[in-house]
Amino acid sequence: MAEKNKIWLSSPHMGGAEEKYVKEAFDTNWVAPLGPNVNQFELAITESLSLDKIYHTAALTSGTAALHLAVRMLNVEAEDTVMVQSFTFCGSTNSVSYEGAEIVFIDSESDTWNMCPEALAKAMADYQGKNVKAIMPVHLYGMPAKMDQIQAIADQYQVPVIEDAAEALGSTFNGQACGTFGLMSALSFNGNKIITTSGGGALVSKHKDYIDRARFLATQARDEAPHYQHSQIGYNYRMSNIVAGIGRGQMEVLPERVKQRRANNHRYREFFKDFAGITFQTEPNANYYSTYWLTAILIDPRLTGGISREDVRLALEAENIESRPLWKPMHLQPVYEGAKFYGSGVCEKLFEQGLCLPSGSNLTQEEFDRIFKALSRIFN
Ligand SMILES: *Cc1c(COP(=O)(O)O)cnc(C)c1O
């Protein structure tokens, strides 16, 4: 029954060198947090973000941990506010909620599907003088947010940007790498991301003092002393030398993974080009370069003869093919009931009509044949 093997949305895709680096860790008995693999992995990330290595990187246990440390280092507290893109994964918002601060949710715009600068501007104007400590845009599915406009608003109010680049390693905006726009930026190496360490993340900043402090907080905030001495509360957030070995191998194939994801996206566009009612998340112009980590489409049932996103998802599921609705906006989540939202319903519509299609860089021709056969059956 090979025909019925599960096709995943996005599964890990090893490059080959990962085991070598993990074995090195075993051979030297460096089976511990920190170590040479961690240092080399951090360096590889730093180099991939900019040839002149002007950024600093701390490898951590997860992307959520990276965002949490960024929030913590900006001294976000219970009486403060953070403006967060509503259309996102809970890792973005959890980082703020861990500190008990208020989240004001910002809608998406329909070009990139990311934070809407107009909605943000309105929220910032309303919240003047109210302890807004940070603005958090997200680059969903690899698509860069409108960082120039968002940064201009942030500058106007002198509020720092925490960039959630968890889904956008390898993407660029105006030639600059996603993961370098924020005062601090977060990357994720969770199992389904464009590259993975099985689980992990990183904090990136141009400012070395933030990264030094992140390392300090991530290792239980231990003061200089022969004994264990603590004057602050820290976390156990540092990456282990074993998983960093996987990361080193994965960084070697990142450019190839970007090409493969973009090639997937191209195949779906070719397949759907004569279908009414199907539109893609699309780079608005040549300034945007998306990895298309996940290929995301909108299905408008008024134009597809009544076929909805859920019809497509269920039909694929019946063929053992995984697809997934787009992120449910966080302001619609029960846990944030009653929270403030600025916008005009763009992200609600994206959620209603949007579907992520299988996008792994390891998808085979046979798997694509199965996907396209299943899609053809639904739409004909
Ligand atoms: C994956 C992801 C994160 C963080 O993920 P971890 O699983 O904690 O590494 C944060 N934000 C977004 C948008 C993500 O997709």
Side-chain angles (χ1 to χ4, degrees), residues 62-375:
S62 73
T64 307
L67 290 167
H68 183 210
L69 288 180
V71 165
R72 192 35 222 277
M73 286 190 283
L74 293 177
N75 301 313
V76 174
E77 290 171 350
E79 50 296 347
D80 298 327
T81 299
V82 178
M83 307 278 175
V84 184
Q85 177 169 324
S86 181
F87 190 46
T88 189
F89 171 65
C90 68
S92 320
T93 48
N94 283 348
S95 68
V96 179
S97 296
Y98 292 158
E99 296 300 326
E102 181 198 8
I103 297 177
V104 170
F105 291 97
I106 309 296
D107 202 359
S108 293
E109 39 76 20
S110 48
D111 296 338
T112 69
W113 302 4
N114 293 312
M115 184 178 268
C116 172
E118 273 117 73
L120 174 66
K122 192 161 183 302
M124 290 301 288
D126 285 359
Y127 271 72
Q128 265 195 84
K130 279 196 187 148
N131 293 341
V132 178
K133 286 278 184 74
I135 297 169
M136 191 187 293
V138 190
H139 312 294
L140 286 185
Y141 314 120
M143 183 64 69
K146 294 186 170 174
M147 289 313 300
D148 49 353
Q149 296 178 43
I150 293 166
Q151 190 62 53
I153 296 163
D155 290 346
Q156 184 191 337
Y157 291 94
Q158 298 190 323
V159 172
V161 169
I162 298 174
E163 179 193 10
D164 182 347
E167 301 185 2
L169 179 63
S171 297
T172 64
F173 177 61
N174 285 335
Q176 184 180 337
C178 289
T180 65
F181 286 94
L183 180 68
M184 287 176 269
S185 306
L187 300 171
S188 169
F189 311 108
N190 196 12
N192 62 3
K193 296 282 156 56
I194 194 159
I195 61 161
T196 182
T197 58
S198 71
L203 188 73
V204 176
S205 180
K206 203 187 283 186
H207 305 278
K208 186 167 177 295
D209 39 334
Y210 280 124
I211 298 304
D212 288 344
R213 191 159 149 68
R215 291 198 171 107
F216 167 75
L217 287 170
T219 44
Q220 305 288 27
R222 192 180 164 194
D223 297 335
E224 293 277 354
H227 55 276
Y228 277 73
Q229 169 92 8
H230 303 278
S231 16
Q232 293 173 65
I233 300 295
Y235 310 89
N236 184 2
Y237 278 173
R238 275 296 251 162
M239 181 175 273
S240 95
N241 196 50
I242 297 291
V243 303
I246 306 175
R248 276 180 84 180
Q250 288 275 278
M251 284 307 291
E252 293 176 7
V253 292
L254 175 62
E256 199 181 320
R257 297 293 175 263
V258 173
K259 274 194 210 129
Q260 289 159 329
R261 299 267 176 172
R262 286 178 62 88
N264 289 344
N265 188 266
H266 183 73
R267 290 176 98 151
Y268 283 116
R269 282 174 200 269
E270 283 296 300
F271 174 81
F272 279 117
K273 70 174 186 284
D274 300 323
F275 285 61
I278 307 289
T279 50
F280 284 76
Q281 185 190 34
T282 300
E283 293 156 345
N285 58 52
N287 298 330
Y288 295 81
Y289 182 84
S290 171
T291 59
Y292 290 117
W293 165 58
L294 296 183
T295 287
I297 59 170
L298 299 181
I299 302 165
D300 184 347
R302 290 166 309 179
L303 301 171
T304 57
I307 299 166
S308 69
R309 174 262 275 168
E310 205 45 19
D311 295 331
V312 177
R313 193 187 69 77
L314 290 171
L316 289 171
E317 189 174 83
E319 300 289 329
N320 212 13
I321 299 168
E322 185 185 26
S323 65
R324 193 167 63 193
L326 304 189
W327 298 122
K328 177 172 179 171
M330 292 308 297
H331 75 278
L332 300 180
Q333 298 285 0
V335 71
Y336 291 115
E337 204 184 323
K340 271 256 191 219
F341 172 70
Y342 281 80
S344 55
V346 173
C347 64
E348 282 103 322
K349 187 192 133 196
L350 291 169
F351 174 58
E352 250 171 59
Q353 299 195 347
L355 192 68
C356 293
L357 297 168
S359 300
S361 48
N362 49 4
L363 286 173
T364 63
Q365 181 60 49
E366 290 70 44
E367 288 174 323
F368 264 111
D369 290 345
R370 254 177 75 195
I371 295 165
F372 289 146
K373 206 165 109 194
L375 288 170

